[in-house]
Each structure stands twice: as C-alpha cells, then as structure tokens.
Amino acid sequence: MQTVLRVVSTKTEAKKSTFLCFLCPICEFKALHEQLKAEHPKAAHVVWALRERNGYGQIVENQSDDGEPKGTSGQPSLNALRGAQLVNAGALIVRYFGGIKLGTGGLVRAYGAAVNAAIEEAEGCGALAKFEIKSLCVFFTPYALGSRFEHYFEKRNLSFEREFNEEGTIWRAEFNSAEFEEFQAFASGFEQEGFKFYALPLAARE
C-alpha cells in the first residue's frame, strides 16, 4: 500500500469537457473539498472518492457522483485509487462541461483517466510514499511539561491532538514502531514529574 504526501493536481480533457483532478492526503480532504466548491461555482460537478484506514485496521471507502449518472464517476475514481493501492488518500475531480455529452462509458473512462493522471503525476514528482501503519497513543502531562512535549512533536513533524483539564493535558498521537520507541525513551524521563500513559499504541507490542 502507498499514500500521498501532499496535494497534486492535473488537468485532462474529454470531448471539450475539462477535468481538474486533485489527489490529496485524507487529512486535507474535507478542507480541499470546501475550497474547490467555493473556487469553482460554475463547475458542473465536483466528484470525489476516498480510501482511509480506520482505528480497527479496516480500509473504509466512500465516493460521490455529485449529480453525474450513478456509477459513472465516483466509482471509477475509487477504482483508480484501489488500483494504485492508495490508502489515507482522496481524489476530487472538478468537471467543466464542454457541451458534448460523453455517455455512460465515456464518463467512466474520463473520470478514471483523470484520477490515474493525477496518480502518475504524484508518482513522478515524489509525492507518493509507502503507507506506514500507525496506532494511537494517549498520555497525560502536567501543564509544566507541555512546552517540552510540544517541542518534541514539532521538531519531528509529528501530528497530535490535545485537550486540557484542571490537572494538565491529555494528548493523542499516532506512532509507528520506530517513532514510539523513540518517544517512549524521551517520555520515560518525565514519569517522576507526572507524565503517564493512558493507552499504549499497538506498536508498543511489537
């Protein structure tokens, strides 16, 4: 399996209809979808498809024809993502109608070709990478340790979420095996100052 590291866009045409395809990481999908709808109000359709791995290790798929005939756009777009074994990735395709109807088969080919073109572009510019399985870790720090842990994550470009309560901060982050091993070595030095794990990632068992 592989994933996409950043947004990659391409432009293809079929019988005067223009297809703008945007391949993106799943974390950017929702915002990009809203952005494209706002930037292309005159577009006939904004079709999309996505594949993401949930917390149970299952790959969840979804797609939308956005007004195109059922099965002619979202499904072939999803099939292109499947064919490239992409996960935690989405494709959004903005279509400008050129005045000539493509027919059912033509639409299927055009949308599939649009997504495949974006995948090829992503591969060519180094935007595709092997997908690493990560799992969730939940831990607590007193407020006094907050800046140290924030610096740790930012320095390594690791994403995190956190919520605050009266005692301190509850953090949620995902690690692969190597990342968790390094983090555990760092965090263990703060146990006497109040750091503690709430939930260990699956990587801790490897």
Side-chain angles (χ1 to χ4, degrees):
M1 292 189 294
Q2 57 184 349
T3 193
V4 61
L5 303 176
R6 58 183 181 274
V7 178
V8 174
S9 63
T10 53
K11 177 181 178 180
T12 55
E13 294 185 358
K15 293 185 178 180
K16 297 186 178 181
S17 280
T18 300
F19 297 82
L20 306 175
C21 183
F22 298 81
L23 189 68
C24 69
I26 199 67
C27 60
E28 299 182 42
F29 180 85
K30 185 176 180 179
L32 181 58
H33 190 200
E34 294 301 320
Q35 177 185 330
L36 293 176
K37 288 193 295 182
E39 291 180 351
H40 300 275
K42 295 183 179 180
H45 309 276
V46 181
V47 169
W48 57 266
L50 60 82
R51 304 181 81 228
E52 63 179 318
R53 186 176 182 273
N54 65 17
Y56 300 99
Q58 302 164 321
I59 296 179
V60 178
E61 301 177 331
N62 204 352
Q63 51 88 13
S64 169
D65 294 311
D66 192 37
E68 293 278 31
K70 186 176 180 180
T72 62
S73 50
Q75 191 60 51
S77 300
L78 178 59
N79 288 341
L81 296 179
R82 287 173 177 165
Q85 295 188 317
L86 279 167
V87 67
N88 283 10
L92 297 124
I93 309 94
V94 179
R95 181 194 178 189
Y96 281 91
F97 181 55
I100 301 175
K101 292 185 177 181
L102 300 181
T104 300
L107 285 170
V108 170
R109 289 189 294 273
Y111 277 99
V115 178
N116 281 322
I119 293 171
E120 290 176 8
E121 176 67 20
E123 185 175 16
C125 69
L128 296 186
K130 181 179 178 182
F131 176 70
E132 288 188 303
I133 296 177
K134 297 188 177 187
S135 51
L136 181 66
C137 177
V138 184
F139 59 93
F140 169 84
T141 63
Y143 282 120
L145 296 177
S147 61
R148 295 187 186 184
F149 278 77
E150 184 174 346
H151 176 72
Y152 179 92
F153 279 93
E154 291 179 349
K155 185 177 180 180
R156 289 160 180 79
N157 198 30
L158 296 172
S159 60
F160 62 88
E161 296 178 356
R162 57 186 171 181
E163 58 183 88
F164 306 99
N165 58 31
E166 294 180 357
E167 298 178 349
T169 308
I170 298 174
W171 305 68
R172 298 167 63 89
E174 292 190 339
F175 300 104
N176 60 30
S177 297
E179 289 168 346
F180 179 71
E181 183 177 354
E182 182 182 7
F183 173 73
Q184 189 174 31
F186 164 79
S188 62
F190 299 100
E191 289 179 348
Q192 292 185 350
E193 297 178 51
F195 167 86
K196 54 187 173 183
F197 284 111
Y198 282 169
L200 291 173
L202 295 176
R205 306 174 190 173
E206 298 181 1

